[in-house]
Amino acid sequence: MDKAHRIDFCPHCCNRAPHTLLCSQHYESIGWTTADGDKMPYDAMYFIARCETCKEIIIYHSIEDNDFNSSELIWPSVGLDQTVPKEISHIYEEAVRIKHIAPNAFAVQIRRALEALCKDRKTKNQSLARQLKELSDKGEIPTTLSEASDILRLIGNVGAHASETDVHPLQAMAIDNFFKAIVEYVYVSPTKIKEFKEQMNQYNKAKKEPNK
């Protein structure tokens, strides 16, 4: 039987290329309803594929329909958490597609994403350096992140101007990891804490209610 294929974006080589299905693994798992905590079993499938341009491995995941062509990319991830504002996510998703093939342009885009983050957090200063310092002073990012954010800003400046120094692919990888750490601190963690509290309250409330 011929192996299944799909044409999709490869996070490794940043090309839109054929992805060949190498193997799949079905499994059954258990979820819980948020209302009363009852068990809710479901079927799911992992798909391991190979990019035919760079030969790297890609992992997809599907729940219920178990179809390779409609499954969701889970590794390597290319997007940000859904709690991140759309404007910032859009800039980042454009950036990550050129991370390996154009590190200079990637650094510039990440600098733009930082500026969008500062705008979303309603900073009052004009320069990015002062905006980052303002976020640190307000406690929205820790001092260590503020200091490293300033380095990220400077690297973005290097990528934006003609220079004998280019942004190295290793720097682009470090920039990517660090920017995601900032996003995690500002948007993802607070949302997860809020959701955790709400889920605990819902569960405790359901436990206290008498059986109907």
Side-chain angles (χ1 to χ4, degrees):
M1 182 175 66
D2 292 338
K3 292 183 178 180
H5 293 79
R6 63 187 282 179
I7 306 296
D8 215 328
F9 172 75
C10 173
H12 295 291
C13 64
C14 298
N15 288 297
R16 187 168 176 79
H19 293 177
T20 301
L21 177 63
L22 301 179
C23 65
S24 60
Q25 179 61 53
H26 170 265
Y27 70 96
E28 296 180 357
S29 190
I30 298 294
W32 289 268
T33 61
T34 56
D36 51 19
D38 287 342
K39 287 184 179 181
M40 186 172 61
Y42 63 88
D43 290 331
M45 185 88 77
Y46 283 108
F47 300 97
I48 298 178
R50 177 183 64 227
C51 170
E52 294 304 335
T53 296
C54 67
K55 307 304 181 184
E56 288 278 5
I57 295 299
I58 303 166
I59 301 176
Y60 292 92
H61 184 246
S62 174
I63 296 177
E64 298 299 346
D65 65 5
N66 297 335
D67 178 47
F68 174 54
N69 288 308
S70 61
S71 58
E72 179 183 1
L73 171 70
I74 61 170
W75 186 87
S77 62
V78 295
L80 299 175
D81 191 87
Q82 61 182 2
T83 59
V84 181
K86 290 183 179 179
E87 181 181 359
I88 300 171
S89 290
H90 178 69
I91 296 172
Y92 178 78
E93 287 167 9
E94 286 186 342
V96 78
R97 291 175 180 272
I98 57 173
K99 180 174 68 173
H100 300 299
I101 59 177
N104 284 353
F106 172 76
V108 173
Q109 283 291 90
I110 293 298
R111 190 182 192 282
R112 284 188 59 219
L114 266 182
E115 291 170 345
L117 185 150
C118 291
K119 179 181 178 182
D120 178 69
R121 307 312 295 175
K122 296 180 171 54
T123 54
K124 295 182 172 58
N125 288 286
Q126 296 299 314
S127 73
L128 180 57
R130 291 180 178 177
Q131 289 175 338
L132 294 171
K133 179 66 165 56
E134 184 179 338
L135 289 180
S136 177
D137 292 341
K138 293 195 298 183
E140 296 205 29
I141 60 174
T143 303
T144 51
L145 279 182
S146 175
E147 293 171 352
S149 296
D150 198 46
I151 296 172
L152 191 155
R153 175 187 64 84
L154 293 173
I155 293 175
N157 286 342
V158 170
H161 300 97
S163 169
E164 294 181 357
T165 304
D166 288 327
V167 177
H168 191 278
L170 288 175
Q171 289 178 307
M173 292 173 62
I175 289 170
D176 189 17
N177 290 333
F178 179 71
F179 177 74
K180 287 189 285 189
I182 294 177
V183 166
E184 179 80 22
Y185 193 92
V186 175
Y187 296 109
V188 182
S189 293
T191 302
K192 286 183 177 178
I193 292 172
K194 180 181 177 182
E195 290 176 350
F196 168 74
K197 291 179 178 179
E198 290 175 349
Q199 289 171 359
M200 290 300 295
N201 288 336
Q202 289 177 356
Y203 177 75
N204 290 334
K205 182 179 179 181
K207 280 295 187 181
K208 290 179 181 179
E209 289 180 351
N211 294 330
K212 294 182 180 180

Short mmCIF file of all heavy atoms in Angstrom, two decimals, residues 1-50:
data_model
loop_
_atom_site.label_atom_id
_atom_site.label_comp_id
_atom_site.label_asym_id
_atom_site.label_seq_id
_atom_site.Cartn_x
_atom_site.Cartn_y
_atom_site.Cartn_z
N MET A 1 0.86 -1.19 0.00
CA MET A 1 0.00 0.00 0.00
C MET A 1 0.90 1.25 0.00
O MET A 1 1.88 1.32 0.74
CB MET A 1 -0.91 0.00 1.23
CG MET A 1 -1.87 1.19 1.26
SD MET A 1 -3.04 1.07 2.67
CE MET A 1 -1.91 1.24 4.04
N ASP A 2 0.55 2.21 -0.83
CA ASP A 2 1.33 3.44 -0.90
C ASP A 2 1.22 4.22 0.40
O ASP A 2 0.16 4.23 1.05
CB ASP A 2 0.83 4.33 -2.05
CG ASP A 2 1.13 3.70 -3.41
OD1 ASP A 2 2.04 2.86 -3.46
OD2 ASP A 2 0.42 4.04 -4.37
N LYS A 3 2.31 4.87 0.75
CA LYS A 3 2.31 5.68 1.96
C LYS A 3 1.53 6.97 1.74
O LYS A 3 1.53 7.53 0.65
CB LYS A 3 3.74 6.00 2.38
CG LYS A 3 4.53 4.78 2.85
CD LYS A 3 5.92 5.18 3.32
CE LYS A 3 6.67 3.96 3.84
NZ LYS A 3 8.04 4.31 4.30
N ALA A 4 0.86 7.44 2.80
CA ALA A 4 0.08 8.67 2.71
C ALA A 4 1.01 9.89 2.66
O ALA A 4 2.09 9.89 3.25
CB ALA A 4 -0.86 8.77 3.90
N HIS A 5 0.56 10.91 1.94
CA HIS A 5 1.32 12.16 1.83
C HIS A 5 0.38 13.34 2.08
O HIS A 5 -0.83 13.24 1.91
CB HIS A 5 1.93 12.31 0.43
CG HIS A 5 2.99 11.32 0.11
ND1 HIS A 5 2.71 10.03 -0.27
CD2 HIS A 5 4.35 11.44 0.12
CE1 HIS A 5 3.84 9.38 -0.49
NE2 HIS A 5 4.85 10.21 -0.27
N ARG A 6 0.97 14.44 2.48
CA ARG A 6 0.26 15.72 2.55
C ARG A 6 1.26 16.82 2.22
O ARG A 6 2.46 16.69 2.48
CB ARG A 6 -0.38 15.96 3.92
CG ARG A 6 0.59 16.05 5.06
CD ARG A 6 -0.10 16.12 6.40
NE ARG A 6 -0.64 17.44 6.72
CZ ARG A 6 -1.29 17.73 7.83
NH1 ARG A 6 -1.50 16.77 8.74
NH2 ARG A 6 -1.74 18.94 8.06
N ILE A 7 0.79 17.89 1.62
CA ILE A 7 1.64 19.05 1.32
C ILE A 7 1.42 20.07 2.42
O ILE A 7 0.29 20.51 2.65
CB ILE A 7 1.29 19.67 -0.05
CG1 ILE A 7 1.34 18.60 -1.15
CG2 ILE A 7 2.25 20.81 -0.36
CD1 ILE A 7 2.69 18.00 -1.37
N ASP A 8 2.50 20.43 3.11
CA ASP A 8 2.34 21.35 4.24
C ASP A 8 3.65 22.07 4.52
O ASP A 8 4.70 21.73 3.97
CB ASP A 8 1.88 20.58 5.48
CG ASP A 8 0.92 21.39 6.33
OD1 ASP A 8 1.05 22.63 6.36
OD2 ASP A 8 0.04 20.78 6.95
N PHE A 9 3.55 23.08 5.40
CA PHE A 9 4.73 23.83 5.82
C PHE A 9 5.59 22.99 6.75
O PHE A 9 5.08 22.34 7.66
CB PHE A 9 4.30 25.12 6.53
CG PHE A 9 5.43 25.88 7.17
CD1 PHE A 9 6.30 26.62 6.41
CD2 PHE A 9 5.61 25.83 8.54
CE1 PHE A 9 7.35 27.31 6.99
CE2 PHE A 9 6.66 26.52 9.14
CZ PHE A 9 7.53 27.27 8.36
N CYS A 10 6.91 23.00 6.51
CA CYS A 10 7.84 22.28 7.37
C CYS A 10 8.55 23.27 8.29
O CYS A 10 9.26 24.16 7.82
CB CYS A 10 8.86 21.52 6.54
SG CYS A 10 10.17 20.77 7.55
N PRO A 11 8.39 23.14 9.61
CA PRO A 11 9.05 24.05 10.55
C PRO A 11 10.58 23.92 10.56
O PRO A 11 11.27 24.81 11.01
CB PRO A 11 8.48 23.64 11.91
CG PRO A 11 7.26 22.85 11.60
CD PRO A 11 7.52 22.19 10.29
N HIS A 12 11.09 22.80 10.04
CA HIS A 12 12.54 22.59 10.03
C HIS A 12 13.21 23.39 8.92
O HIS A 12 14.17 24.13 9.17
CB HIS A 12 12.87 21.11 9.86
CG HIS A 12 12.43 20.24 10.99
ND1 HIS A 12 13.00 20.30 12.25
CD2 HIS A 12 11.45 19.29 11.05
CE1 HIS A 12 12.42 19.41 13.03
NE2 HIS A 12 11.49 18.79 12.33
N CYS A 13 12.75 23.23 7.70
CA CYS A 13 13.40 23.87 6.55
C CYS A 13 12.64 25.08 6.03
O CYS A 13 13.10 25.76 5.11
CB CYS A 13 13.62 22.87 5.43
SG CYS A 13 12.09 22.20 4.70
N CYS A 14 11.46 25.35 6.60
CA CYS A 14 10.63 26.52 6.23
C CYS A 14 10.17 26.46 4.78
O CYS A 14 9.98 27.50 4.14
CB CYS A 14 11.38 27.82 6.50
SG CYS A 14 11.80 28.06 8.23
N ASN A 15 10.00 25.25 4.26
CA ASN A 15 9.46 25.07 2.91
C ASN A 15 8.07 24.45 2.99
O ASN A 15 7.75 23.74 3.94
CB ASN A 15 10.36 24.15 2.08
CG ASN A 15 11.66 24.82 1.69
OD1 ASN A 15 11.67 25.81 0.97
ND2 ASN A 15 12.77 24.27 2.15
N ARG A 16 7.26 24.73 1.98
CA ARG A 16 6.01 24.00 1.82
C ARG A 16 6.34 22.79 0.97
O ARG A 16 6.71 22.92 -0.21
CB ARG A 16 4.96 24.89 1.14
CG ARG A 16 3.57 24.26 1.09
CD ARG A 16 2.52 25.26 0.68
NE ARG A 16 1.22 24.63 0.55
CZ ARG A 16 0.42 24.31 1.55
NH1 ARG A 16 0.80 24.61 2.79
NH2 ARG A 16 -0.74 23.74 1.35
N ALA A 17 6.24 21.61 1.56
CA ALA A 17 6.78 20.41 0.92
C ALA A 17 5.91 19.20 1.20
O ALA A 17 5.08 19.22 2.12
CB ALA A 17 8.20 20.16 1.43
N PRO A 18 6.11 18.11 0.44
CA PRO A 18 5.39 16.86 0.73
C PRO A 18 5.86 16.27 2.05
O PRO A 18 7.07 16.24 2.33
CB PRO A 18 5.79 15.95 -0.44
CG PRO A 18 6.31 16.85 -1.50
CD PRO A 18 6.92 18.01 -0.79
N HIS A 19 4.92 15.83 2.86
CA HIS A 19 5.22 15.14 4.12
C HIS A 19 4.71 13.72 3.99
O HIS A 19 3.51 13.49 3.78
CB HIS A 19 4.55 15.84 5.30
CG HIS A 19 5.10 17.21 5.56
ND1 HIS A 19 4.59 18.04 6.54
CD2 HIS A 19 6.11 17.90 4.98
CE1 HIS A 19 5.27 19.17 6.55
NE2 HIS A 19 6.19 19.11 5.60
N THR A 20 5.62 12.77 4.13
CA THR A 20 5.27 11.36 3.98
C THR A 20 5.00 10.73 5.35
O THR A 20 5.81 10.86 6.26
CB THR A 20 6.41 10.58 3.30
OG1 THR A 20 6.67 11.16 2.02
CG2 THR A 20 6.04 9.11 3.13
N LEU A 21 3.86 10.07 5.47
CA LEU A 21 3.51 9.40 6.72
C LEU A 21 4.38 8.15 6.88
O LEU A 21 4.39 7.27 6.03
CB LEU A 21 2.04 9.01 6.72
CG LEU A 21 1.54 8.22 7.94
CD1 LEU A 21 1.69 9.06 9.22
CD2 LEU A 21 0.09 7.80 7.74
N LEU A 22 5.12 8.08 7.98
CA LEU A 22 5.99 6.94 8.25
C LEU A 22 5.31 5.90 9.13
O LEU A 22 5.43 4.70 8.90
CB LEU A 22 7.29 7.41 8.91
CG LEU A 22 8.13 8.41 8.11
CD1 LEU A 22 9.38 8.79 8.91
CD2 LEU A 22 8.52 7.84 6.75
N CYS A 23 4.62 6.38 10.17
CA CYS A 23 3.89 5.45 11.03
C CYS A 23 2.84 6.22 11.83
O CYS A 23 2.89 7.45 11.91
CB CYS A 23 4.84 4.71 11.98
SG CYS A 23 5.67 5.77 13.17
N SER A 24 1.91 5.49 12.39
CA SER A 24 0.85 6.10 13.20
C SER A 24 0.58 5.24 14.41
O SER A 24 0.84 4.03 14.39
CB SER A 24 -0.43 6.28 12.38
OG SER A 24 -0.89 5.03 11.90
N GLN A 25 0.07 5.86 15.45
CA GLN A 25 -0.22 5.12 16.68
C GLN A 25 -1.55 5.59 17.25
O GLN A 25 -1.70 6.74 17.65
CB GLN A 25 0.89 5.33 17.72
CG GLN A 25 0.64 4.63 19.03
CD GLN A 25 0.55 3.12 18.88
OE1 GLN A 25 1.44 2.49 18.31
NE2 GLN A 25 -0.53 2.53 19.36
N HIS A 26 -2.50 4.66 17.27
CA HIS A 26 -3.81 4.96 17.86
C HIS A 26 -3.74 4.74 19.37
O HIS A 26 -3.01 3.88 19.86
CB HIS A 26 -4.87 4.04 17.25
CG HIS A 26 -6.18 4.10 17.97
ND1 HIS A 26 -6.54 3.21 18.96
CD2 HIS A 26 -7.21 4.97 17.86
CE1 HIS A 26 -7.74 3.50 19.40
NE2 HIS A 26 -8.18 4.57 18.76
N TYR A 27 -4.48 5.54 20.11
CA TYR A 27 -4.59 5.31 21.56
C TYR A 27 -5.93 5.82 22.07
O TYR A 27 -6.59 6.64 21.42
CB TYR A 27 -3.44 5.99 22.31
CG TYR A 27 -3.48 7.51 22.33
CD1 TYR A 27 -4.03 8.21 23.41
CD2 TYR A 27 -2.97 8.25 21.27
CE1 TYR A 27 -4.07 9.58 23.43
CE2 TYR A 27 -3.00 9.63 21.28
CZ TYR A 27 -3.54 10.31 22.37
OH TYR A 27 -3.58 11.67 22.39
N GLU A 28 -6.33 5.31 23.21
CA GLU A 28 -7.54 5.75 23.88
C GLU A 28 -7.15 6.47 25.16
O GLU A 28 -6.27 6.00 25.90
CB GLU A 28 -8.45 4.57 24.20
CG GLU A 28 -8.98 3.87 22.97
CD GLU A 28 -9.87 2.70 23.32
OE1 GLU A 28 -10.02 2.42 24.53
OE2 GLU A 28 -10.41 2.07 22.39
N SER A 29 -7.77 7.60 25.39
CA SER A 29 -7.44 8.38 26.58
C SER A 29 -8.71 8.81 27.31
O SER A 29 -9.82 8.61 26.81
CB SER A 29 -6.59 9.60 26.20
OG SER A 29 -6.08 10.23 27.36
N ILE A 30 -8.52 9.39 28.46
CA ILE A 30 -9.65 9.83 29.28
C ILE A 30 -9.54 11.34 29.54
O ILE A 30 -8.49 11.84 29.94
CB ILE A 30 -9.67 9.09 30.64
CG1 ILE A 30 -9.86 7.58 30.43
CG2 ILE A 30 -10.78 9.64 31.53
CD1 ILE A 30 -11.20 7.21 29.86
N GLY A 31 -10.62 12.05 29.26
CA GLY A 31 -10.73 13.45 29.64
C GLY A 31 -11.82 13.60 30.67
O GLY A 31 -12.45 12.61 31.07
N TRP A 32 -12.05 14.82 31.14
CA TRP A 32 -13.09 15.06 32.13
C TRP A 32 -13.87 16.30 31.74
O TRP A 32 -13.30 17.27 31.23
CB TRP A 32 -12.48 15.27 33.52
CG TRP A 32 -11.94 14.03 34.11
CD1 TRP A 32 -12.57 13.14 34.93
CD2 TRP A 32 -10.60 13.50 33.91
NE1 TRP A 32 -11.73 12.10 35.26
CE2 TRP A 32 -10.52 12.29 34.66
CE3 TRP A 32 -9.48 13.92 33.20
CZ2 TRP A 32 -9.37 11.52 34.70
CZ3 TRP A 32 -8.34 13.15 33.23
CH2 TRP A 32 -8.29 11.96 33.98
N THR A 33 -15.17 16.26 31.97
CA THR A 33 -15.99 17.44 31.70
C THR A 33 -15.67 18.51 32.73
O THR A 33 -15.38 18.20 33.89
CB THR A 33 -17.48 17.10 31.77
OG1 THR A 33 -17.79 16.64 33.10
CG2 THR A 33 -17.85 16.02 30.77
N THR A 34 -15.70 19.78 32.32
CA THR A 34 -15.38 20.87 33.24
C THR A 34 -16.53 21.14 34.20
O THR A 34 -16.32 21.71 35.27
CB THR A 34 -15.07 22.15 32.45
OG1 THR A 34 -16.19 22.47 31.60
CG2 THR A 34 -13.82 21.98 31.59
N ALA A 35 -17.73 20.73 33.82
CA ALA A 35 -18.89 21.05 34.66
C ALA A 35 -18.95 20.21 35.93
O ALA A 35 -19.07 20.73 37.04
CB ALA A 35 -20.17 20.88 33.85
N ASP A 36 -18.86 18.90 35.78
CA ASP A 36 -19.04 18.04 36.95
C ASP A 36 -17.89 17.05 37.17
O ASP A 36 -17.92 16.26 38.10
CB ASP A 36 -20.36 17.26 36.84
CG ASP A 36 -20.50 16.56 35.50
OD1 ASP A 36 -19.47 16.36 34.83
OD2 ASP A 36 -21.63 16.22 35.13
N GLY A 37 -16.87 17.09 36.31
CA GLY A 37 -15.71 16.23 36.51
C GLY A 37 -15.93 14.79 36.11
O GLY A 37 -15.13 13.92 36.49
N ASP A 38 -16.99 14.50 35.33
CA ASP A 38 -17.22 13.13 34.88
C ASP A 38 -16.21 12.73 33.81
O ASP A 38 -15.74 13.55 33.03
CB ASP A 38 -18.64 13.00 34.30
CG ASP A 38 -19.70 13.04 35.38
OD1 ASP A 38 -19.32 12.83 36.56
OD2 ASP A 38 -20.86 13.29 35.06
N LYS A 39 -15.89 11.44 33.77
CA LYS A 39 -14.95 10.93 32.77
C LYS A 39 -15.55 11.04 31.36
O LYS A 39 -16.75 10.85 31.17
CB LYS A 39 -14.60 9.48 33.06
CG LYS A 39 -13.68 9.29 34.26
CD LYS A 39 -13.30 7.84 34.42
CE LYS A 39 -12.35 7.66 35.60
NZ LYS A 39 -11.95 6.23 35.76
N MET A 40 -14.68 11.33 30.39
CA MET A 40 -15.11 11.46 29.01
C MET A 40 -14.04 10.83 28.10
O MET A 40 -13.06 11.49 27.72
CB MET A 40 -15.31 12.94 28.65
CG MET A 40 -15.91 13.17 27.27
SD MET A 40 -16.33 14.92 27.03
CE MET A 40 -14.71 15.68 27.21
N PRO A 41 -14.16 9.52 27.81
CA PRO A 41 -13.15 8.84 26.99
C PRO A 41 -13.17 9.36 25.55
O PRO A 41 -14.21 9.79 25.03
CB PRO A 41 -13.57 7.38 27.06
CG PRO A 41 -15.03 7.43 27.35
CD PRO A 41 -15.26 8.64 28.20
N TYR A 42 -12.01 9.30 24.91
CA TYR A 42 -11.92 9.70 23.51
C TYR A 42 -10.80 8.93 22.81
O TYR A 42 -9.86 8.45 23.44
CB TYR A 42 -11.71 11.21 23.36
CG TYR A 42 -10.41 11.72 23.95
CD1 TYR A 42 -9.25 11.76 23.18
CD2 TYR A 42 -10.36 12.18 25.26
CE1 TYR A 42 -8.05 12.24 23.71
CE2 TYR A 42 -9.17 12.66 25.79
CZ TYR A 42 -8.03 12.70 25.01
OH TYR A 42 -6.85 13.16 25.54
N ASP A 43 -10.92 8.81 21.47
CA ASP A 43 -9.90 8.18 20.64
C ASP A 43 -9.00 9.26 20.05
O ASP A 43 -9.45 10.36 19.73
CB ASP A 43 -10.54 7.40 19.49
CG ASP A 43 -11.28 6.17 19.98
OD1 ASP A 43 -10.86 5.63 21.02
OD2 ASP A 43 -12.26 5.77 19.34
N ALA A 44 -7.74 8.92 19.87
CA ALA A 44 -6.80 9.86 19.28
C ALA A 44 -5.71 9.11 18.54
O ALA A 44 -5.58 7.88 18.66
CB ALA A 44 -6.20 10.78 20.35
N MET A 45 -4.93 9.83 17.77
CA MET A 45 -3.89 9.21 16.96
C MET A 45 -2.70 10.15 16.82
O MET A 45 -2.86 11.36 16.66
CB MET A 45 -4.44 8.90 15.56
CG MET A 45 -3.50 8.15 14.66
SD MET A 45 -3.64 6.36 14.87
CE MET A 45 -5.16 6.05 13.95
N TYR A 46 -1.49 9.59 16.93
CA TYR A 46 -0.26 10.31 16.61
C TYR A 46 0.21 9.86 15.23
O TYR A 46 0.15 8.66 14.89
CB TYR A 46 0.83 10.02 17.63
CG TYR A 46 0.67 10.77 18.93
CD1 TYR A 46 0.29 10.10 20.09
CD2 TYR A 46 0.92 12.14 19.01
CE1 TYR A 46 0.15 10.78 21.29
CE2 TYR A 46 0.77 12.83 20.21
CZ TYR A 46 0.39 12.15 21.34
OH TYR A 46 0.25 12.82 22.52
N PHE A 47 0.71 10.81 14.44
CA PHE A 47 1.27 10.49 13.12
C PHE A 47 2.71 11.01 13.07
O PHE A 47 2.96 12.18 13.36
CB PHE A 47 0.47 11.17 12.01
CG PHE A 47 -0.98 10.77 11.96
CD1 PHE A 47 -1.95 11.55 12.56
CD2 PHE A 47 -1.37 9.61 11.30
CE1 PHE A 47 -3.28 11.20 12.51
CE2 PHE A 47 -2.70 9.24 11.24
CZ PHE A 47 -3.66 10.03 11.85
N ILE A 48 3.63 10.16 12.68
CA ILE A 48 5.02 10.56 12.49
C ILE A 48 5.29 10.62 10.98
O ILE A 48 5.11 9.62 10.27
CB ILE A 48 6.00 9.59 13.17
CG1 ILE A 48 5.74 9.58 14.68
CG2 ILE A 48 7.44 10.00 12.88
CD1 ILE A 48 6.62 8.62 15.44
N ALA A 49 5.71 11.80 10.52
CA ALA A 49 5.91 12.01 9.09
C ALA A 49 7.33 12.51 8.82
O ALA A 49 8.04 12.93 9.74
CB ALA A 49 4.88 13.00 8.55
N ARG A 50 7.71 12.48 7.54
CA ARG A 50 9.02 12.95 7.13
C ARG A 50 8.85 14.01 6.04
O ARG A 50 8.12 13.80 5.07
CB ARG A 50 9.86 11.80 6.58
CG ARG A 50 11.25 12.21 6.05
CD ARG A 50 11.97 11.02 5.45
NE ARG A 50 11.27 10.50 4.28
CZ ARG A 50 11.02 9.21 4.07
NH1 ARG A 50 11.40 8.31 4.95
NH2 ARG A 50 10.37 8.82 2.99
#
